[in-house]
Amino acid sequence: MNSGNLYIVPTPIGNLADFTARAQSVLQSVQAIAAEDTRHSRVLLNHYGITTPMFALHEHNEREKADALVARLQAGDDIALISDAGTPLISDPGYPLVRACRAAGIRIIALPGPCAAIAALSASGLPTDKFLFCGFLPAKQHARIQALEAVMAESATLVFYEAPRRIVDSLAALEEVFGAAREMVLAREISKQFETYLAGSIANVRAQVQADANQQRGEMVLVIAGAEKQQDSLPIEAVQLLGLLHEELPPKKAAKIVATHYGLRVNDLYRYGLELDK
Ligand code: SAM
């Protein structure tokens, strides 16, 4: 018997009209739908008259269920994977199942469709030729700063998801690590009634968000310009000392010593040190 197919089916991130005709027809025709939250998705499927049986596949059970689902696919059933909104696996469940299907040689068919990160990036006006999707920032301040420091030297455009209750703290952390002047765009409530894009320097967007409680509500994506290459503007002696210290010390420590000695910005030297590692 032929194996069935695993379909990865994006669902709307706000505007119901973004539910493609193909997504609807696949969901109607498969034997079962694996949904992140069946009660949540039932509302969408009822709206479109889709009656296919659903079962829950979420972050707490997806590892243990993957093998049984592969067996079901091998037995010939077609299964569709959906999440609460947008594209499954993009900061959403599904990775263990897709990985297991790939290993088992199951055919995986991904339907193109809504994804907040891609929509925000495409409208941001920031470079799209190279980007790094970073998912959600950690909730705790120390871990958040560390996560930002890990990508501060990255020249690709950076894309983060963020929760409204954390946006004020995250913008402060962004300003602390990337500096006030770096360009960014805050994309809020994409495809919904209160869709808003705030564009400007990090300091400017932060000021707008702090001044208006409405900008702290809803769903949001942060798109941040990548780092500019700074090496050329650093004095040659500083670069040489950094090169020497870099071989003996962690990058941050080396950057701090050189910055203090030459009166330079720690971040510029740290970024340069990370480039040395590449
Ligand atoms: N898989 C989804 C996708 O393809 O975009 C993302 C799921 S993730 C759990 C949810 C996060 O995506 C939200 O916290 C927010 O950062 C972002 N998001 C989802 N819908 C959005 C929208 N309509 N506008 C802005 N951001 C959105």
Side-chain angles (χ1 to χ4, degrees), residues 13 85 87 90-92 115-116 136 161-162 190 219-221:
I13 58 169
T87 300
I90 306 303
S91 291
D92 267 344
C115 176
F136 285 95
Y161 284 159
E162 193 46 287
I190 297 167
E219 298 197 279
M220 25 188 103
V221 183

Side-chain angles (χ1 to χ4, degrees), residues 10-15 36 83-93 113-118 120 133 135-136 160-164 187-192 195 218-222:
T11 53
I13 58 169
N15 190 326
E36 181 180 5
S83 60
D84 288 353
T87 300
L89 279 89
I90 306 303
S91 291
D92 267 344
C115 176
I118 296 299
F133 175 63
F136 285 95
F160 297 94
Y161 284 159
E162 193 46 287
R188 209 170 56 81
E189 295 288 89
I190 297 167
S191 79
K192 304 190 207 178
E195 177 176 279
E219 298 197 279
M220 25 188 103
V221 183
L222 303 169

Side-chain angles (χ1 to χ4, degrees), residues 29 76 85 106 108 114 117 121 142 153 199-200 208 223 236 248 253 256 258:
S29 66
I106 302 285
I108 302 163
L121 176 70
H142 183 64
Q208 291 185 69
V223 188
I236 185 72
E248 309 295 334
K253 197 156 197 176
K256 270 190 184 152
V258 180

